[in-house]
């Protein structure tokens, strides 16, 4: 377990205050069983390594939710208004990027990405963020792939109930709402930091 200021807080203990729809959405984030509709198992394992590195967390249940989010996003009708003209659609960006990265790993290390050490994977993530990986396709938008993976990882990681509990986030306030709104004031149901 990660060190936290809220070691005894569990946001799921507050679920009786949520309406049925909210409770269903939050609890679905804790379910382990999931089948992928777009990503292949090899791509999932590559993303598991990359997203674990980006989140600084390799707990299976939390990273599984991140991977589910990415699969839904690249396979869904999500608008891509921020996509530049030289950047392919999310599904193609991810699939092509992972293929190019794995090809480079096989050529350079004689091992796929998922079999590399944590330090080697860290270097790859760092180089990808700067667009410095010498991939077979030099025109591939590495920075765009990195930004997408980072964005998807952060937005899903910090919407998992386990992480909410660790950071002291009380989860959805709907329908009960916040009563105490002044700085430093907490509602009775909010997490209290422990020494």
């Amino acid at each position: 377990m990660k060190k936290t200021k809220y070691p005894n807080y569990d946001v799921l203990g507050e679920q009786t205050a949520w309406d049925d729809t909210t409770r269903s959405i939050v609890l679905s984030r804790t379910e382990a069983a999931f089948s992928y509709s777009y990503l292949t198992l090899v791509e999932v394992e590559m993303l598991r390594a990359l997203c674990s590195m980006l989140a600084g967390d390799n707990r299976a249940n939390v990273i599984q939710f991140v991977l589910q989010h990415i699969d839904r996003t690249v396979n869904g009708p999500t608008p891509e208004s921020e996509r530049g003209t030289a950047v392919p659609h999310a599904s193609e960006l991810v699939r092509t990027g992972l293929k190019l990265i794995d090809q480079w790993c096989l050529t350079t290390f004689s091992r796929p990405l998922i079999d590399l050490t944590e330090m080697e994977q860290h270097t790859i993530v760092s180089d990808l963020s700067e667009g410095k990986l010498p991939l077979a396709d030099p025109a591939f938008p590495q920075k765009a792939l990195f930004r997408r993976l980072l964005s998807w990882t952060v937005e899903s990681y910090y919407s998992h109930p386990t992480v909410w509990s660790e950071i002291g986030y009380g989860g959805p306030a709907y329908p009960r709402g916040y009563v105490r709104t002044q700085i430093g004031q907490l509602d009775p149901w909010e997490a209290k930091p422990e020494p």
Side-chain angles (χ1 to χ4, degrees):
M1 182 173 180
K2 296 184 95 166
K3 188 174 181 178
T4 173
K5 290 171 59 174
Y6 311 94
N8 298 309
Y9 182 69
D10 181 7
V11 71
L12 295 180
E14 300 299 320
Q15 65 180 292
T16 56
W18 305 335
D19 64 17
D20 292 339
T21 303
T22 302
R23 186 178 311 104
S24 173
I25 290 169
V26 173
L27 291 178
S28 74
R29 297 174 182 180
T30 64
E31 296 170 3
F34 185 79
S35 60
Y36 298 94
S37 55
Y38 179 78
L39 298 169
T40 68
L41 291 180
V42 171
E43 291 168 338
V44 166
E45 292 311 310
M46 290 178 69
L47 285 170
R48 185 180 312 279
L50 295 172
C51 295
S52 294
M53 187 74 54
L54 292 171
D57 191 336
N58 62 2
R59 289 176 291 176
N61 63 328
V62 177
I63 297 302
Q64 182 62 35
F65 177 66
V66 172
L67 301 174
Q68 292 169 5
H69 173 71
I70 292 172
D71 184 68
R72 283 190 203 104
T73 301
V74 297
N75 195 41
T78 305
E80 298 184 88
S81 60
E82 74 279 357
R83 183 173 57 88
T85 55
V87 178
H89 287 279
S91 56
E92 185 183 339
L93 179 71
V94 169
R95 178 148 289 156
T96 302
L98 292 176
K99 182 180 176 184
L100 288 169
I101 291 168
D102 217 31
Q103 287 172 348
W104 180 79
C105 290
L106 288 167
T107 301
T108 306
F109 300 101
S110 300
R111 299 186 321 270
L113 174 73
I114 59 175
D115 290 340
L116 299 181
T117 67
E118 187 175 318
M119 183 59 96
E120 290 166 334
Q121 291 175 350
H122 185 273
T123 300
I124 288 169
V125 169
S126 179
D127 287 350
L128 183 68
S129 74
E130 297 175 13
K132 291 183 180 178
L133 276 178
L135 301 177
D137 178 0
F140 179 78
Q142 296 181 45
K143 290 181 181 181
L145 175 61
F146 173 81
R147 283 191 299 269
R148 282 297 175 94
L149 292 179
L150 180 61
S151 176
W152 292 331
T153 299
V154 170
E155 68 193 22
S156 53
Y157 180 80
Y158 284 104
S159 62
H160 192 281
T162 299
V163 177
W164 286 352
S165 295
E166 291 170 354
I167 64 175
Y169 176 60
Y174 178 80
R176 68 181 155 198
Y178 288 93
V179 176
R180 293 166 180 86
T181 58
Q182 298 299 316
I183 294 175
Q185 293 182 336
L186 295 174
D187 281 305
W189 51 270
E190 291 184 273
K192 313 290 186 285
E194 297 178 29

